[in-house]
Each structure stands twice: as structure tokens, then as C-alpha cells.
Amino acid sequence: MKLSDQINELKGVGDELAKKLAVLGVKTIGDLIENYPRRYEDYSNVVPLEKIRPGAVSLEAKIGQIKGRYVRRGMHITEAIASDETGSVRLVWFNQPYRGGAIKPGQSYYISGEYALRRGRFSITNPSVELVSDFPVNTARIIPIYRETKGLKSFQIRKLVREAADIVKDMPEHLPGWLLKEQNLLDYKTAALRMHFPSSAEELAKAQKRLGFEEVFQLSLAALLNKQELTREKGLAIPFNQKLAKDFVAKLPFKLTNAQRKATWRIYQDLEKTQPMNRLLEGDVGSGKTVVAAMAAMMAMEQGFQTAMMSPTEILARQHADTLYKLLDSVGYADQVGLLIGGLKPPQKQQTQRRIKSGDIKLIVGTHALIAEKVDMHRLGLIIIDEQHRFGVDQRKKLQAKAGHMPHVLHMSATPIPRSIALTLYGELDISILDELPPGRKAIATKICSPNSRAQLNAQIDKQLAAGRQMFIVCPLILDTDLSRGLSAEEVYERVANIDFKNRRVGLLHGKMKSADKDKVMQAFLNHEYDILVSTTVIEVGVDIPNATIMLVEGAERFGLAQIHQLRGRVGRSAHQSYAFLMMSDSRSPSQRLRALENTTDGFKLAELDLQLRGPGAIYGTTQHGALDLRVAKLTDTKLIATARNAAREFIDKKESLKKYPHLAEKVASLRAITNLN
Ligand code: ADP
Ligand code: MG
């Protein structure tokens, strides 16, 4: 058997169990191994009964006098006595009637559980019990606790991992031998097994070190290789025209923020070089990235170069084209701005394509149509990618290929990635951060809500709708699943349209819809043909609907902080006060984590928090190319990052061949696809 084998190849895994494992993201045997414990409980100290003290205990004892009975309707109690040479203790299980039949008198068991005083008697309640062996998994050891799901508990996962342990033993090593030696690292199979079943805290730490190192090493190697590829390229220099820049800035209806000024300045410096620019412009929603993009494009236009700006949706492209048209009008470049999207009428499209080819249009704003349609670029000098994480590396490459040489590239992202993670992710990519918002913005009033107060909230919202405002409702799912009811866009739409707001006009939008249909619904909402738009997170990306002032997030606890922050950035774009209501799926009290959203509007701070609490996957999300998912490494561990990055450089300096390490090669290739910004 191999790690890539489907999980139901494993002994004891049928279709039912495989389904539940899939909920945890476990589809192959390798996934099971990489599904490392969330935490551990230390039951490793086995004591004789005379030494037993209140607290977590482990014993090696025989079990006798087992009796089960129903005490009330539906309540079953199993009681037993465990004893060794030094004493005895009472064991009690609630509602586990099978316990009685499962224990063989006269056999020695490991027993682990909480020894405590209950109703005047000391006993161990609901202990785990396992025949004595040299590889117990539920008792008498440091016990792994996994993420669980309905009908799938840690003890079941332990059993499966134990089963898979023999497969891991045949695993080849992933990293070069010299590297393991140099960094004093455990080999892969030892580390992987010890993550699940460590025999001491030190062993666990060593295993974590090894696996964390491997993760960051892979990332760094991917980033370095991306960078290396780029430095071999030669591009076009676009000289800086100070008069033009000054003129543009003087005519803006507002004053640039310092952050905008600094970022623009850096971009102008990049453009002047023959080495192609590869810069990420990060800025929270509303930080004003578009003006910066306009200023970059303007300089290219002035030199007769074309700029292509690619947006993830038609409606967004349309908005950008409008905004850029207005901005560039002040310096007389408006008629050189063009829009190319799939939805144009054929004659219009043909005309645009002609004007692009002739170089008449110098700033082309578009969607994937820029790649998909037959477009001949004329001296393409600059590419601007809006919402860069929405595009795959192939799409960006295809756009570049249209230049016939390596153009300058500016990536824009509203996902505030903390610098630490950005450096690891993107290697030596240049980063500019717009870390201040233009002055005078009204903060979005954010409130966590319990379903108990839904009626009240709806009444409050309806007043706003009656006053002519609009609302987004965002749901975590498209369709309901067995595990979560009432959180899907479809269900919520039904409820909202037929009950909660039955007098209002309600639209539905989700990712499974065709993109033309999505745009249609979005456009209708923009035209105020709907009062309410129920959607999945597809609306995360930057369409400007100033009249929408309410964002209601359903099942808020299922989202990352950065993601909710992004979502609430959809409102607060007009002079009206805006609101974000974070509806919990039940009346449990919300986590500290969510509370942070009520108290801060700083996207970077929220991203840092997410990073600490949930890892980078929470920030980077799942792109179409797979999630960036660090299981072990903490990107807040600067020492680890430095070491792993140096090692990656060494790997390259040594002219090591990735071909010799197929597993590493595969990982690095997929990471390059996720993180590559070239
Ligand atoms: P984002 O970074 O989310 O793409 P935009 O570029 O769409 O932000 O800008 C958001 C709004 O802020 C726009 O209406 C824009 O005109 C305005 N804006 C941008 N820069 C400034 C500034 N320096 N002062 C005031 N308003 C600004
Ligand atoms: Mg934007």
C-alpha cells in the first residue's frame, strides 16, 4: 500500500467512515498521516493504585465485578472495580452499555481517565480501557486529540493511524540526507509517527521541528525558484516623467495618502529598470489601490506602452474602467482607456480589438477575456492583476505571453497578508503596503448577533431597507449538508424571500452559477432591482455598491477574521452609516476571536490574529490551486523561517537536482503554482 491510496483501502474503513473522514479533509492514507493531532493529553505515567491521586491517571490493572443497569429512562450506568496488587478503584461509565461485554475478566488492562471525587466517592468516570500491549493508543501514553466531526471521535482516528503506521514504515525520505544531517533533523517516517504517538514531550518537539522545517523549506524553495526564473528575464524600461506625475496628482479631487505616495514612488523606480517589476501592492479594502494603479498605467501610456489590467469579474472590470477613465481624463488620457470583457456585443468587441491592436487603446481593462479572446497587444509594457489570488499562475503566464517579452507586473491584493507571511510566501518579491486609509471614513458598526435576537435585528434592518438602503447576506455554504442546516445560500434565500423579508426584493448569487449569470445578478443589485442579495463568499471581491450599507454574515463562526473583514469591506462606501451583523449559528457565546472584529477595523491586525489562531490557510484561503496549508510550522517562528530559507538557498547553491527527490519536487511544483506571482 502507498500513502496516495484511497483511505478506504485501509483495514476497517468502509464507505460510511470514509465519508466522515472526508469531512476532515482525509481522503487518502497520506492525508490521514498528515492529519496531525490538534493537541495531546499526557497519560503516560502509569502508577500503582496505592499512588493514585486526583487528576489524570493511568493504571495497569485487572477489571472485575462489572455490572450495567438502567437508572432512569435512557440513562445507563456501567460500574466495575479495577485492582492491582496495591489497591482498587471504582470505574464508572455513563451510557456506554457495551462496556460490560467488552472487558474480559482476568486480563490486564491499561486504564486512563480522570480520577475525582463524585457524589462523595472517588472514582474514574468514563475511562479509556485497552489491553496491555507495547503500542497502546488510547491509554497509558501521551494521547493525541484530533479534530473531530459528528460520528468520528479521536479514539477512532487513533485506531486508523495505528493501522496506517505499518505503511508509513516503508516510506522513503523526502529531504536530502546532507540536509537532515546538517540540520540535525529526524527522518520523515520517524517524525510523522511521533507526531501521532510521541513517547515524550522532547520527542514531539523534535518531530514538530522536522516537519515544520520541511514545510517552510518547501515554501522557500518554491519562492526562490520563482525568483530565479524572473531574474533571467529582461524587460522594457519606462522612464519617469515628473511633470506628468505632478500634474496628475495636482488634479486629483483628494490628497494622496502617504502610503499611496510611497507605493507609487517605488513603482516608478521599478518601471525605470530593464529588470521587470514584480511587485505586490497590498492594501486593505478602501485603501485606494486604484489610484496607484492608474498612476503606474499613466506612465506606461505616456511612453507609448500598453497596460493590461485584469480583474476577476466583468462587473469589477467595468467599474475599474469607469474609475480609470475618470481619473485619467484629467491628464487627457481618457480616450486611450478600453474595456474588453466577454459580455460585449460583437461589433463593439471587434472594434475594441482593432483599437488594441493598433495601439489606439493603451489601457485595457478586462477579465479573463484578455487571455481567452483573440487579442493582439501592441507593445504591452505593464500588467496589473487585480485581486491577484483570484488568478492562477497559468492565467497570468498567458497574459504575459501576449507581450512577447517580460512586462512589468503589479499585483494588487486586498487580503492583508502580514509581512512575515508575505516574505515566506513570495520570497524576494517586492511588496508595497497601503497601511493607512484615506481620512474621514466612517467606521462600519460591527455587531455579533445571536439567533435569539433575529426578529429584532430583522426589524432594525427593515427600517434601513425602507429608507432605500440595500443589504448583502453572506452564507458559508451553497447547499445544506447533513452536518449543518440552514446555513446554505439556498436555504437562507428561501427563508429571507418567503418569511423574514417577504415584502422585499431578494436576489441569490453563488459560485456554482455561470459567470454571466453572476454578473447579471450583481448588476441588478447595483441597479437597485433587489433590496437584498443572498450570496456565498463570491461577493468577497471588490464590487462597489455604495447604496448597500448592511452586511449580514450567517454562521459567522465558520469564517476567518480576515475573510469577514474583507466581506464587511463591501459596505461602508457612501456617506450613509454602514453595519456588519455577524450572526452566530447558535446561541453559544461567541469566541474572543470574533470579538476582535467588533473592536478593530485594522485588516492587518485581524490577519495577524488569524495567522496565530488558524494558520496561513485562514488568510490565504483556498484558491483554485489548493490551499496553502501549513500543518506544523508556525510562521510566527522567525528562527525556523530563517533557517529553512537559508537551507533552501543552500540547496540551490549546491545545484541539487529536484529530480532526485520526487516528493519534494511534487510539493515544490504545487507550491510554486499557488504562490508564484510572476
Ligand atoms: P481599494 O484599495 O479597495 O481598491 P479604491 O481604490 O477602490 O480602494 O478606493 C476606494 C475609494 O477611496 C475610492 O472612492 C477612491 O476614490 C477613494 N480614495 C482613494 N484614495 C483616496 C485618498 N487619498 N483620499 C480620499 N479618497 C481616496
Ligand atoms: Mg479595488
Side-chain angles (χ1 to χ4, degrees):
M1 262 203 268
K2 303 181 301 298
L3 290 185
S4 55
D5 285 346
Q6 292 302 305
I7 191 70
N8 51 16
E9 302 279 316
L10 198 65
K11 206 177 119 198
V13 184
D15 288 350
E16 199 63 27
L17 188 51
K19 246 186 238 157
K20 288 175 188 156
L21 284 162
V23 175
L24 298 178
V26 173
K27 301 206 171 89
T28 64
I29 295 171
D31 293 340
L32 179 71
I33 298 301
E34 286 192 5
N35 179 43
Y36 299 124
R38 295 174 52 201
R39 61 187 181 86
Y40 303 84
E41 284 175 4
D42 190 355
Y43 280 97
S44 57
N45 190 19
V46 180
V47 295
L49 268 160
E50 63 181 0
K51 293 242 171 86
I52 191 169
R53 299 283 173 273
V57 294
S58 287
L59 313 168
E60 180 177 340
K62 295 200 162 85
I63 300 176
Q65 301 180 34
I66 298 201
K67 278 195 299 272
R69 67 200 150 93
Y70 283 91
V71 282
R72 289 193 296 281
R73 237 152 65 99
M75 165 70 97
H76 184 274
I77 286 189
T78 310
E79 286 181 290
I81 302 292
S83 33
D84 65 10
E85 277 103 61
T86 69
S88 61
V89 64
R90 196 169 79 107
L91 310 179
V92 186
W93 291 274
F94 292 103
N95 289 333
Q96 300 181 16
Y98 60 89
R99 286 287 180 184
I103 285 162
K104 299 186 190 77
Q107 300 261 35
S108 281
Y109 287 94
Y110 284 133
I111 301 159
S112 290
E114 187 80 9
Y115 179 61
L117 191 62
R118 275 194 195 86
R119 308 210 171 162
R121 291 166 79 182
F122 272 104
S123 53
I124 305 179
T125 309
N126 293 333
S128 299
V129 165
E130 198 171 13
L131 277 173
V132 168
S133 75
D134 54 8
F135 195 164
V137 295
N138 294 311
T139 57
R141 66 167 317 116
I142 296 176
I143 297 170
I145 314 289
Y146 297 92
R147 204 152 60 82
E148 299 180 341
T149 180
K150 202 170 158 194
L152 183 56
K153 299 292 167 227
S154 282
F155 75 91
Q156 292 162 289
I157 300 175
R158 280 175 217 137
K159 195 166 155 223
L160 297 176
V161 177
R162 170 74 182 87
E163 197 64 50
D166 293 332
I167 305 168
V168 176
K169 288 201 181 104
D170 297 332
M171 281 288 300
E173 178 51 50
H174 299 165
L175 295 176
W178 59 263
L179 189 54
L180 294 187
K181 218 180 211 164
E182 179 191 284
Q183 301 289 335
N184 190 20
L185 295 171
L186 290 180
D187 63 88
Y188 173 76
K189 53 191 173 194
T190 309
L193 282 182
R194 284 190 188 169
M195 281 300 284
H196 295 279
F197 299 118
S199 54
S200 69
E202 295 76 51
E203 260 198 4
L204 176 60
K206 270 195 180 162
Q208 284 168 330
K209 183 180 158 200
R210 147 73 206 224
L211 295 167
F213 177 91
E214 181 171 342
E215 287 173 340
V216 184
F217 176 75
Q218 289 165 348
L219 261 179
S220 307
L221 199 52
L224 286 176
L225 291 170
N226 286 343
K227 176 80 178 177
Q228 211 177 39
E229 195 176 275
L230 186 71
T231 49
R232 284 193 217 108
E233 304 282 351
K234 269 227 167 314
L236 311 155
I238 300 175
F240 172 58
N241 180 332
Q242 189 177 20
K243 187 177 165 300
L244 178 62
K246 283 210 160 136
D247 194 27
F248 178 87
V249 171
K251 285 174 177 156
L252 276 176
F254 45 73
K255 204 167 151 269
L256 289 180
T257 62
N258 276 330
Q260 283 171 320
R261 203 178 288 278
K262 219 158 65 187
T264 309
W265 175 238
R266 297 301 299 272
I267 290 168
Y268 283 155
Q269 286 179 315
D270 290 348
L271 293 178
E272 285 193 301
K273 296 181 186 140
T274 51
Q275 155 130 18
M277 169 170 78
N278 193 34
R279 182 172 290 276
L280 174 64
L281 177 64
E282 269 193 75
D284 213 340
V285 273
S287 60
K289 293 182 289 294
T290 319
V291 181
V292 178
M295 291 186 74
M298 173 180 81
M299 214 44 85
M301 293 162 92
E302 201 256 341
Q303 290 295 323
F305 292 115
Q306 259 175 352
T307 297
M309 177 163 181
M310 187 158 70
S311 289
T313 65
E314 295 208 347
I315 182 161
L316 204 53
R318 243 193 222 117
Q319 279 196 343
H320 273 314
D322 270 358
T323 309
L324 292 166
Y325 180 90
K326 283 181 200 136
L327 283 170
L328 293 170
D329 196 29
S330 69
V331 285
Y333 286 177
D335 56 351
Q336 299 179 28
V337 179
L339 174 70
L340 189 71
I341 52 179
L344 293 180
K345 298 212 168 64
Q348 209 181 347
K349 195 183 279 177
Q350 279 154 21
Q351 198 207 355
T352 305
Q353 279 164 332
R354 264 198 308 277
R355 290 185 62 213
I356 293 172
K357 190 172 177 184
S358 71
D360 189 20
I361 290 177
K362 293 214 172 54
L363 172 54
I364 314 148
V365 183
T367 51
H368 306 85
L370 292 176
I371 316 165
E373 309 270 338
K374 210 180 119 4
V375 190
D376 293 316
M377 304 280 183
H378 180 88
R379 303 182 74 203
L380 181 61
L382 171 65
I383 289 177
I384 301 174
I385 311 274
D386 190 30
E387 308 293 348
Q388 56 87 10
H389 65 285
R390 291 281 164 144
F391 293 98
V393 67
D394 309 348
Q395 292 167 318
R396 299 192 291 252
K397 285 244 150 84
K398 274 190 193 140
L399 187 52
Q400 259 152 33
K402 300 228 171 202
H405 57 88
M406 188 69 191
H408 296 286
V409 184
L410 179 66
H411 313 267
M412 304 207 288
S413 169
T415 312
I417 309 166
R419 217 175 255 279
S420 59
I421 188 175
L423 274 175
T424 313
L425 276 180
Y426 303 132
E428 278 111 48
L429 180 86
D430 301 308
I431 301 171
S432 289
I433 297 183
L434 300 185
D435 52 4
E436 65 185 308
L437 292 181
R441 291 276 164 82
K442 269 201 195 121
I444 296 157
T446 301
K447 194 166 176 306
I448 299 172
C449 306
S450 143
N452 300 336
S453 62
R454 192 185 281 281
Q456 211 182 331
L457 177 65
N458 286 348
Q460 188 190 342
I461 290 171
D462 204 59
K463 272 193 207 134
Q464 298 279 325
L465 300 180
R469 303 287 82 74
Q470 288 166 278
M471 165 165 72
F472 291 106
I473 301 181
V474 175
C475 309
L477 309 162
I478 298 178
L479 289 166
D480 273 359
T481 67
D482 293 346
L483 297 171
S484 55
R485 294 234 65 105
L487 285 177
S488 68
E490 305 239 339
E491 285 273 303
V492 170
Y493 172 79
E494 293 296 325
R495 193 191 70 220
V496 167
N498 300 318
I499 304 169
D500 288 5
F501 293 96
K502 60 172 186 289
N503 299 323
R504 303 284 168 203
R505 299 160 303 170
V506 186
L508 172 66
L509 184 74
H510 60 70
K512 288 255 164 73
M513 291 163 59
K514 286 208 196 83
S515 78
D517 294 337
K518 276 192 274 192
D519 272 337
K520 234 181 253 162
V521 173
M522 219 46 198
Q523 192 64 51
F525 188 55
L526 182 61
N527 299 346
H528 206 164
E529 289 159 32
Y530 297 123
D531 303 296
I532 299 173
L533 183 63
V534 178
S535 99
T536 53
T537 54
V538 289
I539 59 127
E540 189 179 303
V541 155
V543 183
D544 215 357
I545 302 190
N547 192 49
T549 56
I550 304 165
M551 167 60 63
L552 171 58
V553 179
E554 294 284 346
E557 74 282 352
R558 292 173 166 245
F559 292 92
L561 299 185
Q563 199 177 14
I564 291 183
H565 179 66
Q566 188 87 2
L567 288 169
R568 80 176 159 187
R570 297 297 103 232
V571 298
R573 290 166 175 254
S574 70
H576 300 288
Q577 174 64 50
S578 286
Y579 304 88
F581 299 111
L582 314 181
M583 181 59 79
M584 308 284 293
S585 23
D586 56 39
S587 49
R588 265 179 301 178
S589 69
S591 62
Q592 264 332 92
R593 191 173 74 85
L594 274 183
R595 288 271 176 230
L597 282 160
E598 289 183 323
N599 304 325
T600 181
T601 52
D602 182 337
F604 282 93
K605 243 189 224 147
L606 293 168
E608 288 277 5
L609 257 177
D610 252 354
L611 181 62
Q612 278 164 21
L613 295 168
R614 311 205 320 166
I619 291 168
Y620 214 66
T622 319
T623 67
Q624 58 243 69
H625 305 275
L628 176 76
D629 186 9
L630 297 191
R631 308 246 164 152
V632 187
K634 299 233 177 324
L635 285 178
T636 38
D637 183 348
T638 47
K639 201 171 141 213
L640 167 72
I641 289 172
T643 323
R645 291 184 77 200
N646 285 338
R649 205 178 297 274
E650 195 183 346
F651 185 93
I652 289 175
D653 291 346
K654 272 188 191 296
K655 306 224 171 347
E656 266 281 26
S657 160
L658 268 176
K659 287 204 193 78
K660 276 162 54 190
Y661 310 99
H663 178 87
L664 183 61
E666 192 186 313
K667 287 275 183 187
V668 166
S670 84
L671 285 170
R672 284 187 71 176
I674 297 174
T675 61
N676 190 344
L677 290 185
N678 298 330

